[in-house]
Protein backbone atom coordinates (compact mmCIF):
# COMPACT_ATOMS: atom_id res chain seq x y z
CA UNK A 1 0.00 0.00 0.00
CA UNK A 2 1.41 3.38 -1.03
CA UNK A 3 1.05 6.47 1.13
CA UNK A 4 1.39 10.26 0.97
CA UNK A 5 1.95 12.45 4.01
CA UNK A 6 0.16 15.50 5.37
CA UNK A 7 1.68 17.52 8.23
CA UNK A 8 -0.19 20.25 10.12
CA UNK A 9 2.27 22.96 11.10
CA UNK A 10 0.00 25.41 12.97
CA UNK A 11 -2.77 23.36 14.58
CA UNK A 12 -1.35 23.57 18.12
CA UNK A 13 0.22 27.04 18.10
CA UNK A 14 -1.99 28.17 20.99
CA UNK A 15 -0.51 25.50 23.27
CA UNK A 16 2.83 27.28 23.57
CA UNK A 17 2.22 30.98 22.80
CA UNK A 18 5.60 31.94 24.24
CA UNK A 19 7.43 29.84 21.64
CA UNK A 20 5.04 30.33 18.71
CA UNK A 21 4.72 34.11 18.83
CA UNK A 22 7.16 34.43 15.91
CA UNK A 23 7.03 30.91 14.43
CA UNK A 24 4.79 27.91 13.86
CA UNK A 25 4.63 24.95 16.22
CA UNK A 26 6.41 22.95 13.52
CA UNK A 27 9.49 25.18 13.65
CA UNK A 28 9.88 25.32 17.45
CA UNK A 29 13.51 24.41 18.25
CA UNK A 30 14.04 21.21 20.22
CA UNK A 31 16.91 19.09 21.45
CA UNK A 32 19.82 21.38 20.60
CA UNK A 33 19.70 21.18 16.80
CA UNK A 34 16.24 20.05 15.73
CA UNK A 35 12.82 21.56 15.02
CA UNK A 36 9.60 19.78 15.98
CA UNK A 37 8.74 19.13 12.34
CA UNK A 38 11.92 17.06 11.98
CA UNK A 39 10.33 14.20 13.92
CA UNK A 40 7.16 14.05 11.80
CA UNK A 41 9.14 14.40 8.57
CA UNK A 42 11.76 11.83 9.58
CA UNK A 43 9.07 9.31 10.55
CA UNK A 44 7.58 9.63 7.06
CA UNK A 45 10.86 9.60 5.11
CA UNK A 46 12.19 6.63 7.10
CA UNK A 47 9.03 4.76 6.13
CA UNK A 48 9.44 5.43 2.42
CA UNK A 49 6.91 8.26 2.12
CA UNK A 50 8.35 10.64 -0.48
CA UNK A 51 5.35 12.87 -1.16
CA UNK A 52 4.53 15.16 1.77
CA UNK A 53 2.18 18.15 1.95
CA UNK A 54 3.00 20.70 4.66
CA UNK A 55 -0.14 22.63 5.63
CA UNK A 56 0.70 26.14 6.86
CA UNK A 57 -1.34 28.99 8.27
CA UNK A 58 0.76 32.00 9.29
CA UNK A 59 4.17 32.84 10.80
CA UNK A 60 5.79 30.18 8.64
CA UNK A 61 8.82 32.18 7.44
CA UNK A 62 11.21 30.35 9.78
CA UNK A 63 9.63 27.05 8.73
CA UNK A 64 10.32 27.80 5.06
CA UNK A 65 13.91 28.69 5.92
CA UNK A 66 14.33 25.42 7.81
CA UNK A 67 12.75 23.19 5.15
CA UNK A 68 14.32 24.87 2.12
CA UNK A 69 14.08 22.54 -0.87
CA UNK A 70 13.76 19.50 1.40
CA UNK A 71 17.15 18.10 0.37
CA UNK A 72 18.18 17.32 3.95
CA UNK A 73 15.28 14.84 4.10
CA UNK A 74 15.84 13.61 0.51
CA UNK A 75 12.63 15.35 -0.51
CA UNK A 76 14.05 17.64 -3.22
CA UNK A 77 12.47 15.67 -6.04
CA UNK A 78 11.00 16.31 -9.47
CA UNK A 79 8.14 13.97 -8.68
CA UNK A 80 6.73 14.04 -5.18
CA UNK A 81 8.94 15.64 -2.55
CA UNK A 82 7.71 18.18 -0.04
CA UNK A 83 5.02 20.69 -0.98
CA UNK A 84 4.29 23.80 1.07
CA UNK A 85 0.50 24.27 1.22
CA UNK A 86 -0.31 27.85 2.28
CA UNK A 87 -3.94 28.62 3.21
CA UNK A 88 -6.23 28.99 0.22
CA UNK A 89 -8.09 32.27 0.14
CA UNK A 90 -9.57 34.08 -2.84
CA UNK A 91 -9.48 37.79 -3.55
CA UNK A 92 -13.19 37.95 -2.76
CA UNK A 93 -12.72 36.20 0.57
CA UNK A 94 -9.89 38.55 1.48
CA UNK A 95 -11.95 41.62 0.60
CA UNK A 96 -14.83 40.30 2.67
CA UNK A 97 -12.57 39.94 5.70
CA UNK A 98 -12.94 36.17 5.90
CA UNK A 99 -10.75 34.35 8.39
CA UNK A 100 -8.30 31.63 7.42
CA UNK A 101 -8.95 28.06 8.49
CA UNK A 102 -9.58 27.52 12.18
CA UNK A 103 -9.81 23.73 12.39
CA UNK A 104 -8.22 20.55 11.07
CA UNK A 105 -11.12 19.85 8.72
CA UNK A 106 -11.02 23.36 7.24
CA UNK A 107 -7.26 22.97 6.76
CA UNK A 108 -7.83 19.71 4.87
CA UNK A 109 -10.48 21.33 2.70
CA UNK A 110 -7.97 24.07 1.87
CA UNK A 111 -5.51 21.37 0.78
CA UNK A 112 -7.99 19.58 -1.50
CA UNK A 113 -5.99 20.36 -4.65
CA UNK A 114 -2.97 18.53 -3.24
CA UNK A 115 -5.14 15.66 -1.98
CA UNK A 116 -6.94 15.31 -5.31
CA UNK A 117 -3.63 15.12 -7.19
CA UNK A 118 -2.34 12.30 -4.98
CA UNK A 119 -2.81 8.81 -6.36
CA UNK A 120 -1.48 6.97 -3.31
CA UNK A 121 -3.71 4.45 -1.52
CA UNK A 122 -3.75 6.29 1.80
CA UNK A 123 -2.64 9.40 3.66
CA UNK A 124 -0.59 9.61 6.84
CA UNK A 125 -1.66 12.67 8.85
CA UNK A 126 0.61 13.99 11.58
CA UNK A 127 0.76 17.01 13.89
CA UNK A 128 3.91 18.62 15.25
CA UNK A 129 3.17 18.61 18.99
CA UNK A 130 4.34 15.03 19.54
CA UNK A 131 7.86 13.63 19.58
CA UNK A 132 8.49 9.99 18.75
CA UNK A 133 10.37 7.69 16.39
CA UNK A 134 7.74 5.40 14.94
CA UNK A 135 7.80 2.84 12.13
CA UNK A 136 4.93 4.10 9.99
CA UNK A 137 5.35 1.14 7.64
CA UNK A 138 4.01 -1.10 10.40
CA UNK A 139 1.02 1.21 10.87
CA UNK A 140 0.29 1.31 7.13
CA UNK A 141 0.57 -2.48 6.84
CA UNK A 142 -1.80 -2.93 9.76
CA UNK A 143 -4.19 -0.42 8.16
CA UNK A 144 -4.14 -2.30 4.85
CA UNK A 145 -4.55 -5.71 6.47
CA UNK A 146 -7.58 -4.62 8.51
CA UNK A 147 -9.23 -2.74 5.65
CA UNK A 148 -9.86 0.18 8.01
CA UNK A 149 -11.11 3.57 6.87
CA UNK A 150 -9.00 5.28 9.55
CA UNK A 151 -6.29 3.86 11.81
CA UNK A 152 -5.47 6.01 14.84
CA UNK A 153 -2.05 5.64 16.46
CA UNK A 154 -2.44 5.54 20.24
CA UNK A 155 -0.09 5.38 23.20
CA UNK A 156 -1.05 3.87 26.55
CA UNK A 157 0.07 6.43 29.13
CA UNK A 158 -0.54 7.34 32.73
CA UNK A 159 -1.46 11.02 32.67
CA UNK A 160 -1.31 11.46 36.45
CA UNK A 161 2.07 13.19 36.36
CA UNK A 162 1.85 14.60 32.83
CA UNK A 163 1.07 18.16 31.84
CA UNK A 164 -1.86 17.52 29.48
CA UNK A 165 -3.88 20.18 27.65
CA UNK A 166 -7.61 20.56 28.14
CA UNK A 167 -8.66 19.03 24.82
CA UNK A 168 -6.70 15.97 23.72
CA UNK A 169 -8.00 12.85 22.07
CA UNK A 170 -8.73 9.82 24.23
CA UNK A 171 -9.75 6.67 22.37
CA UNK A 172 -11.53 3.58 23.69
CA UNK A 173 -11.34 0.32 21.75
CA UNK A 174 -12.52 -3.27 22.09
CA UNK A 175 -10.35 -6.39 22.19
CA UNK A 176 -10.12 -6.42 18.38
CA UNK A 177 -8.84 -2.81 18.40
CA UNK A 178 -12.06 -1.42 16.91
CA UNK A 179 -12.75 2.12 18.12
CA UNK A 180 -15.74 2.31 20.44
CA UNK A 181 -15.41 5.92 21.62
CA UNK A 182 -13.42 9.03 20.79
CA UNK A 183 -13.59 12.06 23.08
CA UNK A 184 -11.68 15.33 23.30
CA UNK A 185 -11.11 15.93 26.99
CA UNK A 186 -8.55 16.47 29.73
CA UNK A 187 -7.69 12.87 30.62
CA UNK A 188 -7.04 11.50 34.07
CA UNK A 189 -5.30 8.26 34.98
CA UNK A 190 -4.26 5.61 32.48
CA UNK A 191 -5.73 6.11 29.01
CA UNK A 192 -5.22 5.39 25.32
CA UNK A 193 -3.94 8.79 24.24
CA UNK A 194 -4.34 9.69 20.57
CA UNK A 195 -0.87 10.62 19.32
CA UNK A 196 -2.12 12.95 16.57
CA UNK A 197 -0.95 10.46 13.94
CA UNK A 198 -3.49 8.66 11.77
CA UNK A 199 -3.67 6.74 8.50
CA UNK A 200 -6.69 7.50 6.31
CA UNK A 201 -7.68 5.58 3.19
CA UNK A 202 -7.77 7.77 0.10
CA UNK A 203 -11.36 6.93 -0.83
CA UNK A 204 -12.58 7.68 2.67
CA UNK A 205 -10.66 10.97 2.75
CA UNK A 206 -12.28 12.10 -0.50
CA UNK A 207 -15.78 11.19 0.70
CA UNK A 208 -15.25 12.92 4.05
CA UNK A 209 -14.17 16.18 2.41
CA UNK A 210 -17.06 16.07 -0.06
CA UNK A 211 -19.51 15.44 2.79
CA UNK A 212 -17.99 18.26 4.85
CA UNK A 213 -18.37 20.75 2.01
CA UNK A 214 -21.96 19.68 1.38
CA UNK A 215 -23.03 19.95 5.03
CA UNK A 216 -20.82 22.81 6.21
CA UNK A 217 -18.92 20.73 8.75
CA UNK A 218 -16.00 22.40 10.52
CA UNK A 219 -14.66 19.86 13.03
CA UNK A 220 -12.97 16.66 11.87
CA UNK A 221 -13.40 14.84 15.18
CA UNK A 222 -16.76 16.23 16.35
CA UNK A 223 -18.64 16.32 13.02
CA UNK A 224 -17.02 13.34 11.27
CA UNK A 225 -15.30 10.87 13.58
CA UNK A 226 -17.63 10.95 16.61
CA UNK A 227 -20.74 10.63 14.44
CA UNK A 228 -19.33 7.72 12.43
CA UNK A 229 -18.15 5.40 15.22
CA UNK A 230 -19.89 2.08 14.69
CA UNK A 231 -20.64 2.94 11.07
CA UNK A 232 -17.19 3.45 9.57
CA UNK A 233 -14.28 1.09 10.15
CA UNK A 234 -12.11 2.85 12.73
CA UNK A 235 -9.23 1.02 14.38
CA UNK A 236 -6.28 1.79 16.62
CA UNK A 237 -2.60 0.92 16.36
CA UNK A 238 -0.84 0.80 19.73
CA UNK A 239 2.61 2.43 19.68
CA UNK A 240 4.94 1.18 22.39
CA UNK A 241 8.08 3.29 21.81
CA UNK A 242 9.33 6.46 23.51
CA UNK A 243 6.83 9.27 23.25
CA UNK A 244 6.56 12.88 24.45
CA UNK A 245 3.72 15.36 24.13
CA UNK A 246 4.10 19.14 24.15
CA UNK A 247 1.00 20.95 25.36
CA UNK A 248 2.52 23.94 27.18
CA UNK A 249 5.80 25.67 27.93
CA UNK A 250 6.10 23.53 31.06
CA UNK A 251 5.73 20.29 29.11
CA UNK A 252 8.21 21.57 26.51
CA UNK A 253 10.71 22.06 29.33
CA UNK A 254 9.95 18.62 30.81
CA UNK A 255 10.26 16.86 27.43
CA UNK A 256 13.56 18.60 26.76
CA UNK A 257 14.93 17.58 30.15
CA UNK A 258 14.01 13.96 29.40
CA UNK A 259 16.53 14.03 26.56
CA UNK A 260 19.24 14.03 29.22
CA UNK A 261 18.28 10.43 30.10
CA UNK A 262 19.53 7.33 28.27
CA UNK A 263 15.99 6.02 27.86
CA UNK A 264 14.84 9.07 25.88
CA UNK A 265 17.98 9.35 23.74
CA UNK A 266 18.00 5.64 22.89
CA UNK A 267 14.27 5.60 22.15
CA UNK A 268 14.42 8.67 19.94
CA UNK A 269 17.83 9.04 18.32
CA UNK A 270 19.41 5.58 18.43
CA UNK A 271 16.77 3.51 16.63
CA UNK A 272 18.29 1.31 13.93
CA UNK A 273 17.61 2.51 10.36
CA UNK A 274 15.40 5.34 11.60
CA UNK A 275 17.58 8.46 12.04
CA UNK A 276 16.07 11.83 12.95
CA UNK A 277 16.97 14.12 10.06
CA UNK A 278 17.34 17.90 10.23
CA UNK A 279 18.82 20.83 8.34
CA UNK A 280 22.58 20.49 8.14
CA UNK A 281 24.68 23.49 9.16
CA UNK A 282 28.45 23.61 8.77
CA UNK A 283 29.37 25.09 12.13
CA UNK A 284 32.69 24.94 13.94
CA UNK A 285 33.02 22.49 16.84
CA UNK A 286 32.22 23.73 20.33
CA UNK A 287 35.16 25.34 22.12
CA UNK A 288 35.74 24.54 25.79
CA UNK A 289 38.04 27.13 27.32
CA UNK A 290 40.17 26.64 30.41
CA UNK A 291 37.92 26.42 33.48
CA UNK A 292 34.91 25.11 31.55
CA UNK A 293 32.95 22.31 33.23
CA UNK A 294 30.08 20.41 31.61
CA UNK A 295 27.96 17.69 33.22
CA UNK A 296 25.05 15.67 31.80
CA UNK A 297 24.21 18.16 29.06
CA UNK A 298 23.52 18.27 25.32
CA UNK A 299 25.80 20.77 23.60
CA UNK A 300 25.35 21.63 19.92
CA UNK A 301 28.20 22.76 17.66
CA UNK A 302 29.50 26.31 17.45
CA UNK A 303 29.29 27.05 21.20
CA UNK A 304 31.95 28.70 23.37
CA UNK A 305 31.94 27.60 27.02
CA UNK A 306 34.03 29.24 29.72
CA UNK A 307 31.81 28.53 32.74
CA UNK A 308 29.79 25.63 34.15
CA UNK A 309 26.94 23.86 32.36
CA UNK A 310 24.95 21.17 34.17
CA UNK A 311 21.77 19.28 33.19
CA UNK A 312 21.16 21.71 30.34
CA UNK A 313 20.64 21.88 26.58
CA UNK A 314 22.62 24.39 24.54
CA UNK A 315 21.77 25.09 20.89
CA UNK A 316 24.21 26.24 18.21
CA UNK A 317 26.30 29.33 18.82
CA UNK A 318 25.64 29.74 22.56
CA UNK A 319 28.28 31.62 24.57
CA UNK A 320 28.66 30.82 28.29
CA UNK A 321 30.81 33.44 29.97
CA UNK A 322 33.55 33.03 32.55
CA UNK A 323 32.26 32.26 36.03
CA UNK A 324 28.74 31.67 34.69
CA UNK A 325 26.72 28.70 36.00
CA UNK A 326 23.93 27.28 33.82
CA UNK A 327 21.79 24.56 35.43
CA UNK A 328 18.58 22.81 34.30
CA UNK A 329 18.18 25.31 31.45
CA UNK A 330 17.57 25.47 27.70
CA UNK A 331 19.54 28.11 25.80
CA UNK A 332 18.52 28.43 22.16
CA UNK A 333 20.64 29.49 19.23
CA UNK A 334 23.07 32.41 19.66
CA UNK A 335 22.19 33.09 23.30
CA UNK A 336 24.97 35.09 24.97
CA UNK A 337 25.61 35.03 28.69
CA UNK A 338 28.12 37.38 30.26
CA UNK A 339 30.42 36.71 33.19
CA UNK A 340 29.28 35.56 36.63
CA UNK A 341 25.71 34.83 35.50
CA UNK A 342 23.57 32.27 37.34
CA UNK A 343 20.74 30.51 35.48
CA UNK A 344 18.42 27.81 36.83
CA UNK A 345 15.32 26.47 35.03
CA UNK A 346 15.58 29.15 32.35
CA UNK A 347 14.49 28.96 28.70
CA UNK A 348 15.93 31.55 26.32
CA UNK A 349 14.71 31.93 22.76
CA UNK A 350 17.12 32.79 19.93
CA UNK A 351 19.53 35.76 20.08
CA UNK A 352 19.03 36.51 23.78
CA UNK A 353 21.62 38.51 25.72
CA UNK A 354 22.08 38.07 29.48
CA UNK A 355 24.48 40.65 30.87
CA UNK A 356 27.18 40.21 33.51
CA UNK A 357 26.18 39.33 37.05
CA UNK A 358 22.53 38.51 36.38
CA UNK A 359 20.78 35.81 38.45
CA UNK A 360 17.67 34.26 36.92
CA UNK A 361 15.74 31.30 38.31
CA UNK A 362 12.48 29.57 37.55
CA UNK A 363 11.13 26.19 38.59
CA UNK A 364 10.51 22.91 36.80
CA UNK A 365 6.78 23.64 36.87
CA UNK A 366 7.24 27.27 35.78
CA UNK A 367 10.48 27.87 33.88
CA UNK A 368 11.69 31.44 33.44
CA UNK A 369 11.29 32.35 29.75
CA UNK A 370 13.04 35.11 27.76
CA UNK A 371 11.64 35.82 24.30
CA UNK A 372 13.52 36.11 21.03
CA UNK A 373 16.03 38.99 20.83
CA UNK A 374 15.43 39.72 24.52
CA UNK A 375 17.99 41.31 26.80
CA UNK A 376 18.32 41.12 30.57
Amino acid sequence: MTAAGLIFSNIHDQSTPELTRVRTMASVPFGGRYRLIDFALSNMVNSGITKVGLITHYNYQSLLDHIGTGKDWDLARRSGGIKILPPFITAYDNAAGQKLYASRLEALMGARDFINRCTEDCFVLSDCDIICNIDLNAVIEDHAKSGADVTFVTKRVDTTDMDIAENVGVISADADRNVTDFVMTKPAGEVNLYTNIMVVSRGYMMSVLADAVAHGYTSFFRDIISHSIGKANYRIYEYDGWYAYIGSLESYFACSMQLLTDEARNGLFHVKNRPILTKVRNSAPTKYNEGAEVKNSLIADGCVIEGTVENSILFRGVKVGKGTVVKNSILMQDTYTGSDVSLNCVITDKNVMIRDGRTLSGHETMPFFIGKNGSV
Side-chain angles (χ1 to χ4, degrees), residues 9 24 26-27 37 54 56 59-68:
S9 67
T24 68
S27 56
I37 192 173
L54 180 55
T56 61
N59 270 356
Y60 51 88
Q61 295 88 345
S62 64
L63 182 60
L64 295 179
D65 176 68
H66 181 70
I67 296 297

Side-chain angles (χ1 to χ4, degrees), residues 29-34 259 298-301 313-316 330-331:
F30 184 80
R33 61 192 297 260
Y34 302 94
L259 294 182
L298 293 180
I299 311 294
D301 46 0
I313 298 174
L314 272 55
F315 286 71
R316 295 182 176 99
I330 303 168
L331 308 185

Side-chain angles (χ1 to χ4, degrees), residues 14-71:
Q14 298 304 313
S15 299
T16 56
E18 301 91 346
L19 296 171
T20 57
R21 182 175 60 85
V22 293
R23 59 173 71 90
T24 68
M25 189 73 169
S27 56
V28 168
F30 184 80
R33 61 192 297 260
Y34 302 94
R35 304 290 183 114
L36 292 184
I37 192 173
D38 292 336
F39 300 95
L41 262 183
S42 298
N43 287 334
M44 292 184 180
V45 171
N46 291 336
S47 301
I49 298 174
T50 58
K51 182 186 290 185
V52 180
L54 180 55
I55 302 177
T56 61
H57 192 300
Y58 59 92
N59 270 356
Y60 51 88
Q61 295 88 345
S62 64
L63 182 60
L64 295 179
D65 176 68
H66 181 70
I67 296 297
T69 62
K71 65 181 179 62

Side-chain angles (χ1 to χ4, degrees), residues 30 131 161-163 242 244-246 248-261 264 313 330 347 363-365 367:
F30 184 80
I131 301 166
D161 297 321
M162 293 179 63
D163 182 19
W242 191 86
Y245 162 80
I246 295 178
S248 65
L249 184 67
E250 292 75 17
S251 61
Y252 171 84
F253 180 81
C255 292
S256 297
M257 291 297 104
Q258 287 184 51
L259 294 182
L260 301 178
T261 66
I313 298 174
I330 303 168
I347 301 176
H363 188 267
E364 293 177 355
T365 58

Side-chain angles (χ1 to χ4, degrees), residues 181-196:
D181 195 19
F182 190 117
V183 295
M184 301 297 291
T185 184
K186 184 176 178 63
E190 193 170 333
V191 297
N192 276 331
L193 200 66
Y194 169 50
T195 63
N196 290 332

Side-chain angles (χ1 to χ4, degrees), residues 68-294:
T69 62
K71 65 181 179 62
D72 294 301
W73 298 266
D74 193 26
L75 291 175
R77 298 166 177 253
R78 289 177 179 269
S79 177
I82 189 165
K83 308 294 183 186
I84 307 297
L85 306 177
F88 176 78
I89 187 166
T90 66
Y92 171 78
D93 289 333
N94 190 49
Q98 297 293 320
K99 293 182 179 180
L100 302 178
Y101 72 80
S103 69
R104 187 183 308 273
L105 185 56
E106 291 174 347
L108 287 172
M109 289 191 286
R112 274 181 296 168
D113 285 345
F114 172 83
I115 294 171
N116 290 336
R117 289 195 300 268
C118 291
T119 58
E120 286 74 12
D121 301 317
C122 64
F123 293 93
V124 177
L125 277 60
S126 178
D127 294 355
C128 291
D129 64 332
I130 56 103
I131 301 166
C132 65
N133 190 332
I134 183 174
D135 181 8
L136 290 176
N137 274 329
V139 185
I140 294 169
E141 289 174 8
D142 183 78
H143 177 82
K145 183 178 179 180
S146 67
D149 295 316
V150 182
T151 298
F152 300 96
V153 178
T154 63
K155 172 71 174 177
R156 190 72 178 175
V157 297
D158 187 350
T159 61
T160 304
D161 297 321
M162 293 179 63
D163 182 19
I164 299 292
E166 291 293 334
N167 288 305
V168 297
V170 175
I171 300 179
S172 300
D174 60 23
D176 295 322
R177 296 189 289 118
N178 295 304
V179 174
T180 58
D181 195 19
F182 190 117
V183 295
M184 301 297 291
T185 184
K186 184 176 178 63
E190 193 170 333
V191 297
N192 276 331
L193 200 66
Y194 169 50
T195 63
N196 290 332
I197 300 174
M198 71 175 90
V199 178
V200 185
S201 297
R202 183 178 187 277
Y204 186 73
M205 173 77 84
M206 303 295 286
S207 66
V208 161
L209 295 182
D211 200 36
V213 171
H215 294 88
Y217 294 152
T218 58
S219 173
F220 186 81
F221 295 115
R222 184 186 65 245
D223 297 331
I224 304 294
I225 301 300
S226 295
H227 288 175
S228 301
I229 291 176
K231 303 173 185 175
N233 187 359
Y234 295 157
R235 295 176 60 82
I236 66 169
Y237 177 92
E238 297 176 338
Y239 169 66
D240 59 0
W242 191 86
Y243 165 86
Y245 162 80
I246 295 178
S248 65
L249 184 67
E250 292 75 17
S251 61
Y252 171 84
F253 180 81
C255 292
S256 297
M257 291 297 104
Q258 287 184 51
L259 294 182
L260 301 178
T261 66
D262 290 338
E263 179 187 2
R265 288 196 301 271
N266 292 335
L268 193 59
F269 299 117
H270 300 155
V271 181
K272 187 177 180 180
N273 298 324
R274 299 213 302 269
I276 301 299
L277 307 170
T278 189
K279 182 178 180 179
V280 176
R281 297 181 186 271
N282 296 318
S283 303
T286 289
K287 181 180 180 182
Y288 300 88
N289 288 347
E290 185 177 353
E293 185 178 356
V294 178

